Amino acid sequence: MATDSFPQRLPTLDRLGVTDPSNVSSSKVATEWLDAFSAAITQSDTAAVVDLFLEDGFWKDVIALTWDFRTFEGRKDIKKLLDARLVATGLNELRLLQSKPLNEPVLQTVYPDLVWLWFCFGFTTKHGKGIAVVYLVPLPDSKWKAYTLLTCLNSLTDFPQKLGPLRSWETDHGSWEEKRRQETEFSNNDPTVIVIGAGHSGLETAASLKYIGVPTLVIDKKPRVGDSWRDRYKALCLHDTIWYNQTPYLKFPPTWPVYTPAAKLADWLEAYASFLELDVWTASTITKTSWNDSTKTWSVEVDRGGKGTRIPTVKHLVFATGSGGRPNVPDIPGEASFKGSAVHSSGFKSAADHIGKKAVVVGCCNSAHDIAQDFCSHGVDITMYQRSSTFVISTKSVAAMLGDIYNDDFPTELADIYDTSLPWAVVRRLQQRMVPMVAETTDKAILDGSAKVGFETNLGLHGAGNTSLYLERGGGYYIDTGASKSIIDGNIKIKNGSAIESFTENGLRFADGTELQADIVVFATGYGDPRDFMREVCGDEVASKITKVWGLDEEGQTAGAWKYCGHDGLWFANGDLALSRFHNHHLAMQIKAIEEGILNKADIVI
């Protein structure tokens, strides 16, 4: 097991020297702490501010003080943040948020030995408004100190989103269609931003930019918006719930199924782009880019697929091309002699095309299980080859974990704030408690049954389940939507414990001397570096300056996504529907702040 780079301990009652902190008024505790915090902030007394935190407390910031995604651990680093940015930021107007029952102060018993009191407060800065979430823990002297604090900027004061009362009030008598044509074609001007990729992340980024007044063009090589989902394997269905996967500005209707088929999502995204009047060029390919470091602009050559070539000059490129890069396909000797077909999961369509044949799926995570179950459902003789153990969790367990805040009765915007409020070091420790409990209770039958037929499982990186695997690796787990039962029942056979040695004419040979016959081999083996597409578009010189994209940095923040990534005017908008929905707006606010002269990265030194 890899060394755990986040060895922090939770503030348990035993560690704090406290027995029962429950006999308190949550509102009173929150008010007293916030009054002291506000007074110290107003006086710019950074020493007094950090004294309100535990020695090993955290301050997590999402573009409010740092114009970045940062986590500061311990009083020393928190003070360093405040000394550098408190006055410059103008943190002000702190006010307790107490709208019942959603964000009133709450004393929460997370585990029998872990109790904290969390609450929200609003704040302003010189340039925007935000929400903060505080987690207080008790001390023996009846005082409460902050274990962790999130500050998150939600809007720019002078550039609010054109929503609700700020929407257009103009009447239109026949000019709308021509106006939209000219806007989409950029007949009279160049966009400020080009977003590459018309999937959920690209469209949501474009929407956020549009509604804070940044002209934005989305470019996609596929014929229709949503084809990035529409062209996946036919059996694909989202494994997370509708409430977790909501889209911003335009929410799924109440009739929408809990688990969304990919083809249905594709149609939704096509409608989303139309209803939100996003400017999209489909069937278009960027053939060349060049960066002018003097003017801080990109020249972008676009082949419009039969509509000629355009070369707009833009200030920003946003890559929304997915969390992975090119398909990873193992280099296995002998493929030329194989009489069947071999395809990566990205090119696989349906098991209906292979009825009566034998199939092998190489891999054992979400896509592998989906495709294996597709074969099984069509009566195909199917074997899944498991290269290494897999973290498996049921949709029931995932829905229960998400359901506390992602549900019909809880505003998605507030749920997103709560979901990001804790630093990764804390989330990991909580997951390391929760994951084994779920494995021994709700999911015990699935895991025990899988073990009996030789399918190997684990508890995720450092025992922290699928959250850790997704954030650190972009995958490596299976959220069970039914394939586990097929494995347990023997309808999906398992092969593991020996490396693939080569293709044969009729299948795959393994190092242990066994052979699996196959008419089709599907490699559900993941994707490469998210920077792959950027390198193709921008070249090696630009690519050499880009930081790691995806995975976690040393502070536990997602590396390279939604923030400065090493090159001016270049951004990555990655992530699942929930992360994209929340953080693409933060990306858009950074771009707007740069364009309005509010943000100069060189001025921010911490």
Side-chain angles (χ1 to χ4, degrees):
M1 181 176 287
T3 301
D4 191 344
S5 55
F6 299 96
Q8 294 85 350
R9 297 184 298 158
L10 292 171
T12 59
L13 296 177
D14 181 64
R15 183 180 158 217
L16 296 171
V18 176
T19 53
D20 181 12
S22 61
N23 189 27
V24 297
S25 164
S26 298
S27 293
K28 181 180 179 183
V29 170
T31 300
E32 289 177 352
W33 186 91
L34 186 58
D35 285 347
F37 181 77
S38 181
I41 291 292
T42 301
Q43 297 166 16
S44 299
D45 188 346
T46 59
V49 173
V50 299
D51 189 53
L52 296 169
F53 285 76
L54 289 183
E55 285 285 354
D56 58 348
F58 297 85
W59 188 314
K60 182 177 180 181
D61 185 64
V62 177
I63 75 168
L65 277 74
T66 62
W67 287 109
D68 201 346
F69 293 65
R70 298 290 306 273
T71 298
F72 300 88
E73 180 184 354
R75 289 179 176 176
K76 180 180 178 181
D77 282 354
I78 292 173
K79 189 173 188 305
K80 184 178 178 182
L81 160 69
L82 295 173
D83 287 341
R85 297 297 302 161
L86 181 57
V87 174
T89 301
L91 190 62
N92 196 14
E93 297 183 32
L94 281 58
R95 61 204 180 282
L96 188 65
L97 301 178
Q98 298 192 77
S99 60
K100 296 181 179 181
L102 299 180
N103 58 4
E104 61 182 343
V106 172
L107 184 69
Q108 182 180 20
T109 301
V110 186
Y111 293 105
D113 67 337
L114 181 62
V115 177
W116 52 39
L117 191 156
W118 60 265
F119 65 94
C120 298
F121 67 85
F123 64 87
T124 63
T125 68
K126 288 180 179 178
H127 302 295
K129 299 177 181 179
I131 291 181
V133 182
V134 188
Y135 293 78
L136 303 181
V137 294
L139 296 179
D141 56 4
S142 298
K143 290 183 179 180
W144 293 71
K145 293 203 173 186
Y147 176 50
T148 177
L149 164 66
L150 166 76
T151 43
C152 179
L153 195 69
N154 287 345
S155 63
L156 299 174
T157 304
D158 292 337
F159 310 100
Q161 297 183 80
K162 304 300 183 182
L163 309 177
L166 298 180
R167 74 182 82 197
S168 173
W169 284 70
E170 293 182 9
T171 56
D172 184 282
H173 299 284
S175 62
W176 176 80
E177 287 181 307
E178 175 60 19
K179 178 184 175 184
R180 282 297 299 136
R181 187 194 70 78
Q182 291 188 22
E183 287 176 348
T184 300
E185 290 296 314
F186 284 91
S187 303
N188 304 313
N189 63 302
D190 285 342
T192 302
V193 179
I194 285 180
V195 176
I196 304 168
H200 66 273
S201 194
L203 296 177
E204 290 168 1
T205 301
S208 288
L209 287 163
K210 178 184 180 73
Y211 293 118
I212 52 174
V214 181
T216 300
L217 169 65
V218 181
I219 292 177
D220 199 290
K221 64 183 178 182
K222 292 181 178 289
R224 293 171 61 189
V225 171
D227 276 349
S228 58
W229 286 97
R230 194 176 287 113
D231 291 347
R232 297 288 303 279
Y233 53 89
K234 191 174 181 180
L236 178 59
C237 184
L238 299 187
H239 294 200
D240 297 315
T241 65
I242 176 181
W243 304 284
Y244 184 72
N245 289 325
Q246 281 288 6
T247 49
Y249 306 108
L250 186 65
K251 293 189 175 182
F252 299 126
T255 56
W256 201 266
V258 173
Y259 298 101
T260 308
K264 187 176 181 68
L265 178 62
D267 289 349
W268 174 264
L269 293 176
E270 193 168 41
Y272 183 90
S274 176
F275 292 148
L276 296 185
E277 299 186 357
L278 305 181
D279 302 320
V280 185
W281 292 355
T282 54
S284 298
T285 306
I286 295 178
T287 55
K288 182 181 180 182
T289 66
S290 60
W291 170 254
N292 186 322
D293 200 46
S294 298
T295 60
K296 301 295 182 183
T297 57
W298 295 94
S299 176
V300 183
E301 184 177 293
V302 183
D303 178 352
R304 297 203 60 195
K307 295 183 179 179
T309 299
R310 288 277 297 274
I311 309 177
T313 298
V314 303
K315 302 290 286 296
H316 304 269
L317 293 179
V318 178
F319 284 85
T321 50
S323 295
R326 292 296 178 192
N328 277 333
V329 180
D331 184 11
I332 299 173
E335 185 176 354
S337 65
F338 179 46
K339 293 181 179 179
S341 59
V343 62
H344 188 268
S345 60
S346 60
F348 179 79
K349 298 303 177 188
S350 174
D353 302 327
H354 305 281
I355 294 174
K357 298 180 180 180
K358 292 185 176 181
V360 173
V361 173
V362 178
C364 54
C365 299
N366 276 336
S367 293
H369 279 80
D370 286 351
I371 292 170
Q373 182 60 44
D374 188 25
F375 280 123
C376 181
S377 298
H378 283 84
V380 175
D381 184 320
I382 171 65
T383 301
M384 179 186 292
Y385 171 60
Q386 184 181 34
R387 298 181 296 171
S388 58
S389 64
T390 310
F391 175 73
V392 176
I393 187 170
S394 65
T395 51
K396 179 180 179 181
S397 294
V398 171
M401 292 177 185
L402 296 174
D404 285 345
I405 55 175
Y406 289 104
N407 57 60
D408 279 329
D409 300 321
F410 206 96
T412 305
E413 296 77 10
L414 188 57
D416 286 342
I417 291 284
Y418 289 162
D419 192 46
T420 200
S421 62
L422 290 171
W424 171 241
V426 179
V427 173
R428 176 181 281 190
R429 286 291 172 249
L430 295 174
Q431 291 289 313
Q432 286 170 334
R433 289 191 172 200
M434 182 185 300
V435 168
M437 289 173 57
V438 171
E440 287 297 318
T441 53
T442 310
D443 291 346
K444 182 174 174 57
I446 292 173
L447 299 178
D448 287 352
S450 298
K452 287 179 181 177
V453 296
F455 187 86
E456 299 174 353
T457 62
N458 61 53
L459 295 179
L461 289 174
H462 311 291
N466 59 302
T467 305
S468 180
L469 285 162
Y470 179 65
L471 293 177
E472 297 194 42
R473 295 183 179 177
Y477 54 88
Y478 174 51
I479 300 176
D480 179 31
T481 56
S484 289
K485 185 178 187 303
S486 296
I487 291 171
I488 293 167
D489 291 345
N491 296 320
I492 296 174
K493 292 171 284 188
I494 299 298
K495 169 68 177 178
N496 54 26
S498 182
I500 297 175
E501 190 172 77
S502 67
F503 278 97
T504 67
E505 286 189 358
N506 300 311
L508 293 170
R509 180 184 294 115
F510 295 83
D512 61 6
T514 61
E515 183 175 337
L516 279 177
Q517 291 192 345
D519 300 295
I520 179 171
V521 176
V522 180
F523 290 100
T525 45
Y527 296 84
D529 194 308
R531 295 169 291 187
D532 289 348
F533 297 106
M534 178 276 302
R535 185 179 295 274
E536 293 175 12
V537 169
C538 298
D540 291 339
E541 182 179 351
V542 170
S544 68
K545 299 177 182 178
I546 304 302
T547 63
K548 180 177 77 169
V549 177
W550 208 251
L552 297 175
D553 63 21
E554 64 278 2
E555 295 178 357
Q557 298 279 9
T558 301
W562 319 298
K563 61 182 181 179
Y564 180 73
C565 63
H567 192 290
D568 292 337
L570 197 154
W571 309 82
F572 288 87
N574 299 9
D576 62 17
L577 276 89
L579 288 174
S580 295
R581 173 185 63 239
F582 189 47
H583 289 315
N584 287 341
H585 180 55
H586 301 130
L587 188 162
M589 283 195 288
Q590 290 171 79
I591 289 176
K592 181 64 172 178
I594 290 170
E595 292 307 300
E596 298 296 339
I598 295 171
L599 170 58
N600 181 357
K601 199 71 181 175
D603 294 339
I604 302 174
V605 179
I606 301 174

